[in-house]
Amino acid sequence: MSKKLISFCIPCYRSEQTLEGVIREIEETMKKMASYSYEIILVNDGSPDNTWGKIRELADKSEQKNILGINLAKNFGQHAAIMAALNAATGDYVVCLDDDGQTPADEVDKLIAALEGGADVAYARYSHKQHNLFRNFGTAMNEWMASVMLGKPKDLYVSSYFAVKRFVVNEMVKYESSYPYVIGLVLRTTRNIVNVDVTHRRREVGQSGYTLGKLFALWINGFTAFSIKPLRIATVTGAIFAILGFIYGIYTIIKKFVLPDVQIGFSALMSAVVFMGGAIMLMLGMIGEYLGRLYISQNKNPQFVIRETTRDETR
């Protein structure tokens, strides 16, 4: 009986100094999991350092020649890099993990065991994360957004370290829009998802590539690409404001009849106008965000562009 193939998909950014350790750990772990074969797909997401050079070096040194390096033409973002890796993966099981060594590759057997046990997707869950306060806040906001906007079960923890079955990957790569969001693609495919407890390590080299701007863009991308709840919230909010405005108008008229000498305050009027104007602009901006993304997607803006791979004949 042929061995099942595991594809390790790793988006890479500023990982010149950490990537070799991650690959070494995968290779040592897979020696203990001899009943499986494996491949490693490394996607350089426009990293400004020598990450691509390191990927080429690792692919050339690989004895089994099972490392594929993909060099994107520019920085498309982590989720787009993951999609590039998923499109290249051929495994029966696909495992996504980080390039910085914080996600324990030596515990991948726990994720695979969960898939073998019947789960479609297995997400690593950490009892204590070794990220800084800012990154933990971003993760918490991402969790909240996924729960409220995408219907993620509240007891399900999502992370960048997860394993999925082949049919899930086949469905995920059908998504061709310019704004991929991995957990959204998973949730629209299956709800047979489990958590597996693993250890989260401290970052030894460098720092996270996520800034506040990138995290905010990720949140916006998540709920505009896979949910219309923001539009519904805008509709309900607009209806509430309209009702409050109508009630206040009636109150003003009655007050004028009952107390004819009372002057209508200019400052109160301006406050109401500014508040309502801001609310309207916010709602119009939200609608514009959806329309803009629809326009860009209709123009076939690519998720990612591959400049070269380590298997190209001419490099």
Side-chain angles (χ1 to χ4, degrees), residues 90-273:
T90 60
D92 301 287
Y93 299 136
V94 177
V95 178
C96 293
L97 66 160
D98 292 341
D99 58 345
D100 54 15
Q102 288 190 273
T103 49
D106 60 351
E107 296 187 49
V108 69
D109 58 315
K110 297 180 181 179
L111 299 177
I112 298 301
L115 299 187
E116 293 279 14
D120 296 332
V121 184
Y123 273 96
R125 178 174 57 197
Y126 314 114
S127 58
H128 179 67
K129 297 191 67 177
Q130 298 292 336
H131 286 315
N132 57 37
L133 183 62
F134 166 74
R135 182 64 187 277
N136 285 334
F137 169 75
T139 301
M141 289 297 296
N142 193 49
E143 285 280 317
W144 175 84
M145 185 275 296
S147 296
V148 174
M149 299 297 178
L150 304 180
K152 178 186 74 68
K154 292 184 178 180
D155 59 344
L156 174 66
Y157 177 85
V158 297
S159 65
S160 57
Y161 189 19
F162 62 95
V164 296
K165 288 183 175 178
R166 180 76 247 169
F167 85 92
V168 178
V169 175
N170 289 342
E171 189 62 33
M172 292 173 70
V173 297
K174 291 179 183 178
Y175 184 79
E176 298 180 350
S177 175
S178 311
Y179 303 97
Y181 188 60
V182 172
I183 181 57
L185 293 171
V186 170
L187 287 173
R188 79 173 191 173
T189 303
T190 180
R191 293 302 171 96
N192 183 17
I193 308 172
V194 299
N195 277 133
V196 176
D197 292 322
V198 301
T199 304
H200 194 248
R201 299 167 179 161
R202 183 180 299 276
R203 179 187 287 268
E204 299 295 337
V205 180
Q207 58 184 3
S208 173
Y210 272 109
T211 63
L212 181 60
K214 288 184 177 181
L215 284 173
F216 183 74
L218 181 63
W219 302 332
I220 293 293
N221 180 43
F223 66 69
T224 54
F226 293 92
S227 175
I228 62 171
K229 285 187 178 180
L231 292 178
R232 291 176 177 171
I233 292 172
T235 301
V236 172
T237 304
I240 292 174
F241 283 150
I243 293 172
L244 291 176
F246 179 74
I247 294 174
Y248 186 75
I250 295 176
Y251 165 77
T252 303
I253 294 173
I254 294 175
K255 185 176 180 180
K256 188 64 177 177
F257 278 114
V258 175
L259 301 170
D261 295 332
V262 174
Q263 297 294 322
I264 302 299
F266 175 76
S267 59
L269 178 61
M270 288 304 298
S271 297
V273 170

Side-chain angles (χ1 to χ4, degrees), residues 272-307:
V273 170
V274 171
F275 180 73
M276 293 297 294
I280 292 173
M281 291 301 294
L282 177 63
M283 296 172 196
L284 288 176
M286 184 63 65
I287 296 172
E289 182 73 22
Y290 276 89
L291 291 176
R293 287 171 178 266
L294 179 62
Y295 174 75
I296 291 173
S297 296
Q298 288 297 314
N299 280 340
K300 302 298 182 181
N301 196 50
Q303 287 181 359
F304 55 85
V305 177
I306 297 176
R307 183 190 302 276

Side-chain angles (χ1 to χ4, degrees), residues 5 7 9 39-43 68-70 81-91 94 166 169 173 304 306 309 311:
L5 176 65
S7 298
C9 297
E39 64 178 1
I40 302 174
I41 301 166
L42 306 173
V43 180
L68 169 63
I70 298 174
I82 290 175
M83 292 299 291
L86 293 180
N87 275 274
T90 60
V94 177
R166 180 76 247 169
V169 175
V173 297
F304 55 85
I306 297 176
T309 77
R311 293 177 184 170

Side-chain angles (χ1 to χ4, degrees), residues 10-13 41-49 51-53 55-56 68-88 180 302-310 312:
I10 307 177
C12 305
Y13 187 79
I41 301 166
L42 306 173
V43 180
N44 177 43
D45 188 23
S47 184
D49 63 0
T51 295
W52 175 239
I55 290 174
R56 292 178 60 176
L68 169 63
I70 298 174
N71 190 26
L72 300 187
K74 65 173 186 176
N75 178 250
F76 286 88
Q78 181 185 21
H79 289 241
I82 290 175
M83 292 299 291
L86 293 180
N87 275 274
Q303 287 181 359
F304 55 85
V305 177
I306 297 176
R307 183 190 302 276
E308 59 183 323
T309 77
T310 54
D312 291 343

